[in-house]
Amino acid sequence: MAHEVASLVARLSDAERCVREQAAKEIGRLGASAADAAAAALTRCLRDSAAGVRTQAARALGKMGEAAAPFASEELLAALADHSAEVRAAAAGAIGWLGEAVGDVVVSELKNCLQDPAASVRIAAAGSFGRLGEAAACGVAEALAACLGDPDVHVQVAAAGSVVQHMEAMAAALVSRLDASNVSTRLAAVRAIREMGEAMVTHTETGLLGALADSDFDVRAAAMAALVQMGKGENARKVEARLSTLQEVPETLKSKVKFEGSEDSPNCRRSKLRRGSTWSVGAATEPSLPRLLGTPKARQEAPSFGLPPSKGDRIEEFRQSMELTH
């Protein structure tokens, strides 16, 4: 193993782009066992002139998991700003596998990736938050909720997977923000709860009912709309009962609620976690979800290079050396 890793690390400096790229890919297949010997070299490859090499290096670091965290966190953070969407997506996905040890700065930048113009980057970032632990997921609950209404269905799947893995903790975090002094924070929390749909009802209804008495008009309206949209039966009666205790419910507020709950509202998304829908809690925990979120595959077979002989002796030598190791 040590000889194989050393040989691959040496190939990372080869003059041929395809040799460097394949070497990074092969190191990734070795996983965490190659971290001590190869992670530092892979981080240097994140600055390679070829986007394909940078992509494979990021993926390889992700497949090393937490073992790569001491070497790769800062370099992967920089890769999130790469001009290549493929590299950004690979870096965003890799960060998720580094574990909860990644710093707040990395989490903050990964959150920004949820609004990346490339869907592949948003998918990778949304999936990573499901693996970074409760603290990270709760910190970006509003942003993940917004991804449930992303125009790309694969982003919706990745976000739903992350939400259901930390649902109770995220619900508690959002409810706690309903007591924030900042109106924008309270409003964003209510809207995030609504985005997450009926699956959040049992965890958030008490907080939403309390928000009906909020000092801000928009927060009250959003809370009413969330309860009406999320709870067609029992919750509708609770809303009516709560309204009866309020001294005054202006017609303007009722109109605001009607708009907030309509498809015309820019803040209203169809619930992706609603019971019986495609992204229900049960569906999101199916065995297929890890594949959708990019779980690294274990090494199962020797690589197939398929490189033309015209590329030169170094590539042929590389192929032969790899065949000897298998």
Side-chain angles (χ1 to χ4, degrees):
M1 172 68 77
H3 174 73
E4 179 181 6
V5 175
S7 177
L8 288 168
V9 169
R11 304 293 181 181
L12 292 175
S13 301
D14 196 278
E16 291 285 350
R17 174 200 57 79
C18 54
V19 172
R20 301 195 304 277
E21 187 173 327
Q22 193 63 49
K25 186 174 183 179
E26 281 303 303
I27 291 173
R29 289 179 177 175
L30 297 175
S33 62
D36 289 341
L42 285 172
T43 60
R44 292 192 291 272
C45 287
L46 292 174
R47 299 188 295 272
D48 195 279
S49 59
V53 176
R54 300 196 301 276
T55 298
Q56 292 300 335
R59 290 174 179 169
L61 288 166
K63 290 180 180 181
M64 290 178 178
E66 296 182 10
F71 306 94
S73 295
E74 292 186 6
E75 294 292 342
L76 286 171
L77 173 62
L80 294 178
D82 197 281
H83 63 81
S84 166
E86 187 177 18
V87 175
R88 296 198 304 276
I95 286 171
W97 295 107
L98 299 186
E100 299 181 23
V102 299
D104 293 340
V105 175
V106 177
V107 171
S108 178
E109 288 301 315
L110 190 62
K111 176 185 176 182
N112 293 336
C113 290
L114 295 174
Q115 297 181 328
D116 194 279
S120 61
V121 180
R122 301 197 303 276
I123 292 167
S128 282
F129 278 111
R131 302 187 291 270
L132 287 176
E134 285 186 357
C138 291
V140 300
E142 292 87 346
L144 280 174
C147 287
L148 296 172
D150 193 276
D152 188 287
V153 68
H154 298 94
V155 178
Q156 297 172 18
V157 173
S162 292
V163 169
V164 298
Q165 290 182 64
H166 306 293
M167 180 172 292
E168 291 190 21
M170 291 178 70
L174 289 170
V175 169
S176 71
R177 288 171 202 163
L178 297 178
D179 295 325
S181 59
N182 184 278
V183 172
S184 297
T185 300
R186 301 199 303 273
L187 184 58
V190 172
R191 288 174 172 167
I193 291 170
R194 186 186 63 220
E195 294 277 9
M196 293 180 185
E198 288 182 35
M200 296 287 279
V201 170
T202 57
H203 307 297
T204 61
E205 62 180 357
T206 300
L208 287 175
L209 288 167
L212 294 176
D214 194 275
S215 60
D216 182 78
F217 177 90
D218 287 336
V219 174
R220 297 196 302 274
M224 290 173 66
L227 284 165
V228 170
Q229 180 175 312
M230 290 165 61
K232 303 179 172 107
E234 182 64 23
N235 275 345
R237 290 189 287 275
K238 288 182 180 179
V239 172
E240 290 178 8
R242 185 69 181 88
L243 290 177
S244 67
T245 67
L246 301 180
Q247 293 183 349
E248 182 180 2
V249 182
E251 287 299 319
T252 51
L253 181 54
K254 294 179 181 178
S255 298
K256 179 72 172 177
V257 171
K258 184 177 180 181
F259 175 71
E260 284 276 348
S262 72
E263 289 295 327
D264 295 327
S265 170
N267 298 307
C268 181
R269 305 273 196 272
R270 270 181 252 159
S271 170
K272 298 303 177 185
L273 297 179
R274 185 169 296 158
R275 288 189 293 272
S277 71
T278 305
W279 313 132
S280 66
V281 175
T285 53
E286 288 294 317
S288 60
L289 185 65
R291 295 198 299 275
L292 293 169
L293 301 187
T295 305
K297 296 179 181 178
R299 183 177 187 175
Q300 296 179 339
E301 58 184 19
S304 176
F305 290 90
L307 300 175
S310 58
K311 286 293 183 180
D313 293 338
R314 281 195 310 277
I315 300 176
E316 180 62 28
E317 178 188 353
F318 182 31
R319 183 194 296 112
Q320 292 176 356
S321 69
M322 292 305 303
E323 290 174 350
L324 288 174
T325 63
H326 294 82

